[in-house]
Amino acid sequence: MAVTHNRRSFLKASTIAGAAITLPALSYSRVYGANSRLGIASIGTGGKGWSDLNGVAASPHVQVVALCDIDSSEKHLGQAAQKYQEARQYDDWRKLLDKSKEIEGVLVSTPDFMHAPIALPAMQLGKHVFCQKPLTHSVHEARQMTLAARKFNVVTQMCNQIQSHSAYRTAVHMVHTEMIGKVKEVHSWQSGKPSWPRHLNRPSGNDPVPQSVRWDLWQGVAEDRPYKIGMYHPFNWRGWQAYGTGQLGDFGCHILDPVFKSLKLGSPTNLTAEAPKLFPESWTDQATVRYEFPGTEYTAGSTLKVTWYDGVGTRPPREKLGDVPADYALPAAGSVLVGEKGSLVIPHVAMPKLFPEDKFPADKSPVIEGVDHYTQWADACRGAAETTSHFDYAGPLTETVLLGTIGIRFPGQELKWDAKSLAITNNATAQTYITKPYRKGWEPAWV
Ligand SMILES: NC(=O)c1ccc[n+]([C@@H]2O[C@H](COP(=O)([O-])OP(=O)(O)OC[C@H]3O[C@@H](n4cnc5c(N)ncnc54)[C@H](O)[C@@H]3O)[C@@H](O)[C@H]2O)c1
C-alpha cells in the first residue's frame, strides 16, 4: 500500500496494519435507488458497540453485512450474530476489511486505542466511518483521522450522541441566539466515581485467557502483556494509559461538546493542569485542566478560559458561576457558561437552564427538537443528510481533550500549543506524548 508521509520524522509512518489489506480504488459513491441499502460492518459488537449497531441498523436503508469481535461469547459477538444472521462474522478486523467489497460504512466501537488503527485503513478503502468517542487515543491520531476523512472524502460521525439530543441542541441554540450575551468564561465538570481501575500498578502474573477471547487481537497495536481477569477486557481498559484516556478522555468529548459547538471553539493556545502524580501506567480520577482559547464571535473577550474539573463529588467554585444562585443544586456533570447577560447551566444529560430565573421564565425557554445521531450518519452516507460530529469537528475536539490528558502528566506546568504544527512548543518531554509507540507489525496506516 502506498502511504504518503506528511508529518514530521518523529511521527514515523508505517504501513503494516494497512498492508494486510489490498487497497482497491479509493473513495467511491453510488446512487441509491429506492430499494438499495447501505452495507455496514460493525467492529466491536459488545458493550457500547451493541447499541451503536442497533442504532444504525434501525434505519430501514441499512443492511448489516459483517460483524467483528475478538470475543465470541454471548455478550460480545454472540448476540449480534444471533440478531443479524445474514452478516458474515470475523474475529480480526483486518480480514473483514480485506473482504470488504460490499461494505460501505464501518462502525468502530472498540476500546479507544484501536479506533484510529481500524478507522484509518477503512477510510483509505473509501468506507464511511462511524467511530466511538474519544475519536482516538493520541493527538496525532486525531489529526490523522481529520486528514483522512477529508482526503478520502468519506462521511464520518463521532459517537458523542448527546450532541443530537434536544438538551444539547437547545443549549447550542441559546448561545447562538445570545440569550446570555457574549460568553466570558466556561466551567465544565464530571463528579462521578469511575468504576474502572485507577491509581494502580500493573498487576503481576497472568490468568488463563477465556476460550472465547482472542487476547492477541484485543491487544492490537499495544505492546503484548499477560491477560488478567477483570483488569482490561471488557470495559476496565479505560483506567490504563496504554488503552484508555482516563476520566477526561472518557467524558470530555461529551461534556465539552456543547461548549465547543455553541462557541465554535478551535484549538487552545495553552493549558495548565492540576492533578496528583500519575502512576506509571494507570490514570487518575482527579484533575483540573485550565485551557485558554482564542475568542470567537460568541465570546466576550479576545481569549476564553475553559476549565475542566473531574473528581468524585467535585463541582466548580460557586463564586465563578455568575448568575447561578448559590443554593442551586448543580448537576453531577455538565457545564456553566458565564455570559454578559446571564449564565447557562448545561447538565450532562438534561435540558439546559438559564439564570437569573426572573429574566428567563422556564415556560418561555426555546426547545430545539432532537435528531437521531446514528441514522443521521447512515442517511448522510446515502447522501440524504449531513452529520454534525464529522471528523472536521470531532478531530479538533478530541485533540483538545487529549491535550488535557497530556497536561495531567505535567501538573502545574503551562503547555503552549501550536495546533498548526501539532507541537507543544515549550516542553519537549510533553511533546513526546502527542504520539506513541506501536507494536511492531501493527503500525497504523497513516495518511
Ligand atoms: N458514546 C457513549 O456514550 C459511550 C458509552 C460507552 C462507551 N463508549 C465508547 O465505546 C468504546 C467501547 O467502549 P465499551 O465500554 O463498549 O468497551 P468494552 O470493552 O465493554 O466493549 C468493547 C467491545 O469491542 C470488542 N473488541 C475489543 N477489541 C476489539 C478489536 N480489536 N476488534 C474487534 N472487537 C474488539 C470487545 O470484545 C467488546 O465486545 C470506547 O471507545 C468507549 O469510550 C461510548
Side-chain angles (χ1 to χ4, degrees), residues 85-208:
Q85 293 190 0
E86 286 173 9
R88 289 197 313 274
Q89 295 165 30
Y90 296 89
D91 57 10
D92 187 336
W93 57 271
R94 295 168 302 179
K95 291 185 184 150
L96 178 148
L97 287 185
D98 212 12
K99 295 257 182 311
S100 62
K101 208 165 147 246
E102 82 285 23
I103 298 170
E104 291 159 285
V106 175
L107 318 185
V108 181
S109 310
T110 59
D112 304 351
F113 73 106
M114 287 304 294
H115 292 174
I118 297 172
L120 286 171
M123 286 191 277
Q124 293 184 31
L125 286 164
K127 312 298 176 198
H128 307 300
V129 170
F130 180 95
C131 184
Q132 262 307 330
K133 60 79 213 160
L135 192 57
T136 61
H137 191 230
S138 78
V139 174
H140 168 241
E141 286 180 346
R143 182 65 58 90
Q144 284 282 309
M145 294 277 259
T146 309
L147 294 174
R150 281 185 207 157
K151 179 168 178 181
F152 300 105
N153 194 24
V154 289
V155 176
T156 56
Q157 179 95 305
M158 181 172 77
C159 190
N160 49 351
Q161 71 280 16
I162 298 140
Q163 178 179 103
S164 296
H165 289 196
S166 172
Y168 276 9
R169 281 165 59 88
T170 299
V172 169
H173 172 81
M174 286 169 164
V175 177
H176 285 177
T177 51
E178 302 203 356
M179 292 183 77
I180 57 166
K182 305 278 186 200
V183 172
K184 297 189 289 183
E185 59 184 88
V186 177
H187 300 270
S188 299
W189 69 97
Q190 167 54 284
S191 68
K193 184 173 181 181
S195 56
W196 33 264
R198 55 209 186 278
H199 304 297
L200 276 188
N201 284 316
R202 194 195 291 204
S204 57
N206 64 297
D207 294 327

Side-chain angles (χ1 to χ4, degrees), residues 414-433:
E414 185 191 31
L415 302 181
K416 292 185 187 295
W417 177 237
D418 177 6
K420 202 164 169 214
S421 61
L422 213 68
I424 295 171
T425 54
N426 64 337
N427 188 324
T429 317
Q431 176 67 12
T432 63
Y433 289 99

